[in-house]
Structures are given as structure tokens and as C-alpha cells.
């Protein structure tokens, strides 16, 4: 659909009313935008300015019990019929009748009119947010947010502090929505500053799978078992950490068994040939048995993996789409590296000496997964075992 409206020209009052009328009647954003020759973004802004689409009168779903059917249930209960007999007479499931009666007070209290009105109220959308109706809960959540606690920590802590009060329960998702969706009217937008990320809105997670750009991929499911269970060293996980504006990056390599770290400087050139060459230079001094395979995500920077394997003899395996946990050691290390290379900084200004110093610091940092040994100690133990003709075991 082409937009004929001049850029920056505002909709007239009648056009805005027409957009609202069409959306209210169930038309799509594209159709409403086409009727006044504007973009769908403009339609969204029109709706946002008036608080969304006005709620239309609701129709009772034919899949739900009607007032007449509820009266039949009430009469059947008074006549002493079983719930199965009532269900058979109404041609519906006995579980439907059972739920209907139990949610409305049970056999001795059930009344058709009251049950019908309650069902109508429960079906109304949107429902009020729990944090806007339960003031005590909201005060506790706000106090914990002021302490810089995460929504997940708050949700778990409320169960501990109020074990016998079911009203003092809220999921972390509800807290996030109350912060990011101000129309819920529960938590003020200023409290988003208490979140670790400081974001004021949800970050979209949908993205295209870049795997389509990479030919002849060998997927992670084809890795040998010895790589998966970390039985022998020499199998690495790799990635890039990117600097400000995406214009600079550093290659990070982590050995799966010992967690030994190597860093390669690539500056501002993130083309596949340049990245593969930087990795090849970084690993050229390693013994052959310490560079057997490399597991990478689906970034285009390793699109030249076939030539890389020919040049180095190192087989490259690619993770499944959107599965960073398949390179868990590398992801954890990248988080540690951000202490030295903060996000939003220019990584091209760091020299090879700077990278070696950071790698040395990480390789001499005790790791719980290594029973508090350092990656350097674990790697040296393996090398000594090889020199003595022994068999290296899992650290």
C-alpha cells in the first residue's frame, strides 16, 4: 500500500475519527491507514492518543452457558438431580456443570442469576491489574524496587515473607508489565530506573535468523560426544563482543574443559575473512591437540568457516538459532569481560597487550566449576599429563 500523504502532514479531525471508527469496527490497521492515505504508524499514534480502541458492547459467546441453562442447573439441584443427570439433560460435559457449581458457591448456594452476573464480570477485558487493586502488595513491591531488587527476586521474596497471605503474590512478569505499560496504572514509570537495565520499555526479542547467510553449516547436534561431555580439552566456544555503534569488536575464545580464555583483536573490520584470519593467527601457536573444534553462533562473521577449516584443520560447529546456552562457557566469559570492556565503548582502541592482560587476569581467576582452580592451572595440569604420557581427565 503506497502512502500518498505528504510527509509531516497531520490528519484532520474527520480523518482521525474515520480511523477510530474503522478500527472500532474491526478493520485492520492497513485498511484503516489506506482509507485516509497514511501509514500504520500514524494509525497507532491516533489510537494511543485516545487510549486505544473504545470497548464495544460484548456479545455472549455461544460456547458459554446461557442464563436459561444456568436456570436449568439451579432447578436440577433443587430437584435432587446429580450433576451428571443435569449435564446429560443439557447435552454438555459433567465437568462443565461441576466447575460452574463449584465456582459459584457449591450445591447449597448456587443461584442462576447471581452465577450469570458473576460470569459476565469475570469475562470482562482488560482486567484490572493486581498491583492497582491491592495497595499493600503494591507498597511492598515499590519498597523492594527501591532496594534495586529485580522483579524475579521480589516475586520469590514475597512468598517467603508472606507465606500465609495469598493476596501477597505477584509474578515477575506482572511487575514488568506494570512498569512498562503505564495504562495499567499500577507502578510509576520512574521506578524503571530501579531496574538493572534501566529500560523504560520492552525490548523486542524477535529477530531474523542470520543462519541463512551461512552455507554448508555443520550444526551443533552433529558434534561428537567427547565435545558435548567435555571429556577432552581442545574444543572451543567463540563469539564477538561488540563496541559502541557496532563499529568495533573483539573475538573471544573459551576452551570448554578448562575455561581457558584467549582474545583476538579485530578492531573495526568485522568481515568474515578478517575475523577468521584473526582467529587463525591467535591459535597458530597452540598444540594440535588443543585446537580440535570451534563452536560458534550463527553470526555472519564466520561465513568463511569452510576455508577456515581447510587452513587450520579446525572443524566449526554452529549453534541452533537463538540458543546462546549452547555456548554457555563463552556466554559466561563474555559477561566477565564486560567488567574490562564496558558496553558502549570503542573496543578498537585496545591493543594486543591490553587483551593479553585481561585474558591473563581471567585465566588466573578461580572458578567454582573447576573446584576453585584457575583455568591456567587446569590447562597446565593437562599439559603436564600429556608430557608425562598420561591421559588427561576432566577437571
Amino acid at each position: 500500500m503506497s502512502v500518498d500523504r505528504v510527509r509531516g502532514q497531520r490528519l484532520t479531525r474527520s480523518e482521525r475519527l474515520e480511523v477510530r471508527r474503522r478500527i472500532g469496527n474491526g478493520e485492520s490497521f492497513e485498511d484503516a491507514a489506506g482509507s485516509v492515505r497514511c501509514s500504520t504508524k500514524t494509525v497507532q499514534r491516533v489510537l494511543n492518543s485516545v487510549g486505544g480502541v473504545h470497548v464495544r458492547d460484548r456479545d455472549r459467546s455461544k460456547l458459554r452457558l446461557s442464563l436459561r441453562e444456568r436456570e436449568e442447573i439451579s432447578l436440577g439441584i433443587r430437584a435432587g438431580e446429580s450433576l451428571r443427570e443435569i449435564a446429560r439433560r443439557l447435552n454438555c460435559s459433567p465437568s462443565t456443570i461441576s466447575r460452574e457449581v463449584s465456582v459459584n458457591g457449591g450445591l447449597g448456594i448456587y443461584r442462576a442469576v447471581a452465577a450469570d452476573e458473576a460470569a459476565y464480570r469475570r469475562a470482562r477485558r482488560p482486567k484490572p491489574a493486581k498491583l492497582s487493586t491491592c495497595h499493600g502488595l503494591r507498597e511492598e513491591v515499590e519498597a523492594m524496587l527501591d532496594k534495586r531488587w529485580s522483579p524475579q527476586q521480589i516475586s520469590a521474596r514475597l512468598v517467603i515473607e508472606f507465606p500465609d497471605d495469598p493476596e501477597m503474590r505477584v509474578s515477575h512478569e506482572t511487575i514488568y508489565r506494570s512498569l512498562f505499560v503505564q495504562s495499567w496504572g499500577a507502578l510509576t514509570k520512574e521506578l524503571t530506573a530501579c531496574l538493572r537495565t534501566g529500560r523504560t520499555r520492552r525490548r523486542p526479542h524477535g529477530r531474523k535468523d542470520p543462519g541463512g547467510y551461512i552455507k554448508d553449516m555443520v550444526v551443533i547436534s552433529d558434534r561428537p560426544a567427547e565435545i558435548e561431555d567435555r571429556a577432552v580439552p581442545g574444543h572451543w566456544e567463540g563469539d564477538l563482543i561488540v563496541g559502541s555503534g557496532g563499529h568495533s569488536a573483539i573475538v573471544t575464545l573459551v576452551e570448554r574443559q578448562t575455561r581457558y580464555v584467549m582474545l583476538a583483536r579485530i578492531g573495526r573490520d568485522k568481515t568474515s575473512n578478517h575475523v577468521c584470519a584473526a582467529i587463525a593467527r591467535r591459535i597458530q601457536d597452540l598444540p594440535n591437540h588443543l585446537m580440535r573444534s570451534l563452536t560458534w553462533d550463527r553470526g555472519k562473521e564466520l561465513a568463511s568457516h569452510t576455508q577456515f577449516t581447510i587452513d587450520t584443520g579446525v572443524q566449526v560447529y554452529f549453534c541452533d538459532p537463538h540458543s546462546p546456552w549452547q555456548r554457555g562457557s563463552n556466554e559466561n566469559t563474555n559477561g566477565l569481560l564486560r567488567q574490562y570492556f564496558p558496553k558502549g565503548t570503542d573496543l578498537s582502541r585496545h591493543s594486543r597487550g591490553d587483551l593479553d592482560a585481561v585474558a591473563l587476569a581471567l585465566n588466573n581467576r578461580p572458578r567454582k566449576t573447576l573446584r576453585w582452580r584457575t583455568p591456567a592451572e587446569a590447562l597446565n595440569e593437562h599439559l603436564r599429563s600429556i608430557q608425562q604420557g598420561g591421559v588427561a581427565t576432566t577437571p
Side-chain angles (χ1 to χ4, degrees), residues 38-265:
C38 71
S39 67
T40 55
K41 285 282 189 181
T42 301
V43 173
Q44 183 66 64
R45 284 194 291 268
V46 168
L47 297 180
N48 290 343
S49 66
V50 296
V53 181
H54 293 295
V55 179
R56 295 174 290 174
D57 292 337
R58 292 185 295 132
D59 297 326
R60 294 292 188 100
S61 171
K62 295 180 179 179
L63 300 177
R64 301 292 180 260
L65 293 172
S66 64
L67 177 58
R68 183 191 64 79
E69 290 172 323
R70 289 188 168 97
E71 289 174 344
E72 290 292 332
I73 294 173
S74 182
L75 291 174
I77 292 174
R78 291 186 183 183
E81 294 181 353
S82 69
L83 297 184
R84 288 189 175 276
E85 290 175 330
I86 297 174
R88 193 179 301 111
R89 182 155 48 83
L90 294 178
N91 194 27
C92 64
S93 170
S95 62
T96 299
I97 306 301
S98 177
R99 284 194 301 268
E100 170 69 16
V101 173
S102 61
V103 80
N104 289 290
L107 294 172
I109 301 177
Y110 186 84
R111 295 293 182 272
V113 174
D116 193 66
E117 292 176 352
Y120 188 78
R121 287 194 305 271
R122 288 193 297 268
R124 294 193 64 180
R125 296 293 186 275
K127 291 185 176 181
K130 185 175 184 179
L131 287 172
S132 65
T133 57
C134 186
H135 301 294
L137 176 61
R138 184 173 70 245
E139 290 175 357
E140 288 290 336
V141 170
E142 290 175 346
M144 293 178 181
L145 283 171
D146 281 335
K147 296 178 182 178
R148 298 298 194 270
W149 290 13
S150 71
Q152 191 172 26
Q153 291 169 334
I154 294 171
S155 178
R157 190 66 187 179
L158 285 170
V159 177
I160 297 174
E161 296 191 2
F162 303 93
D164 301 321
D165 189 354
E167 284 297 312
M168 300 297 286
R169 303 281 190 277
V170 65
S171 71
H172 64 278
E173 179 65 21
T174 297
I175 298 175
Y176 276 120
R177 288 188 180 182
S178 297
L179 288 170
F180 294 146
V181 185
Q182 289 299 296
S183 60
W184 278 34
L187 300 174
T188 61
K189 192 172 185 178
E190 288 74 16
L191 286 172
T192 56
C194 299
L195 298 177
R196 179 179 59 82
T197 60
R199 295 193 188 102
T200 58
R201 63 183 63 190
R202 265 271 160 77
R203 181 177 64 180
H205 289 280
R207 62 184 186 272
K208 294 182 179 179
D209 174 20
Y213 297 100
I214 303 176
K215 295 182 180 179
D216 304 319
M217 286 193 303
V218 182
V219 294
I220 195 171
S221 58
D222 293 334
R223 286 194 317 191
E226 69 175 25
I227 304 179
E228 187 65 30
D229 59 15
R230 304 175 191 263
V232 295
H235 301 288
W236 297 72
E237 297 175 1
D239 195 15
L240 297 183
I241 57 172
V242 182
S244 59
H247 301 304
S248 58
I250 295 173
V251 174
T252 67
L253 301 171
V254 184
E255 203 283 310
R256 282 175 56 82
Q257 189 191 72
T258 64
R259 273 66 170 184
Y260 192 84
V261 179
M262 293 195 304
L263 304 178
R265 183 178 183 274

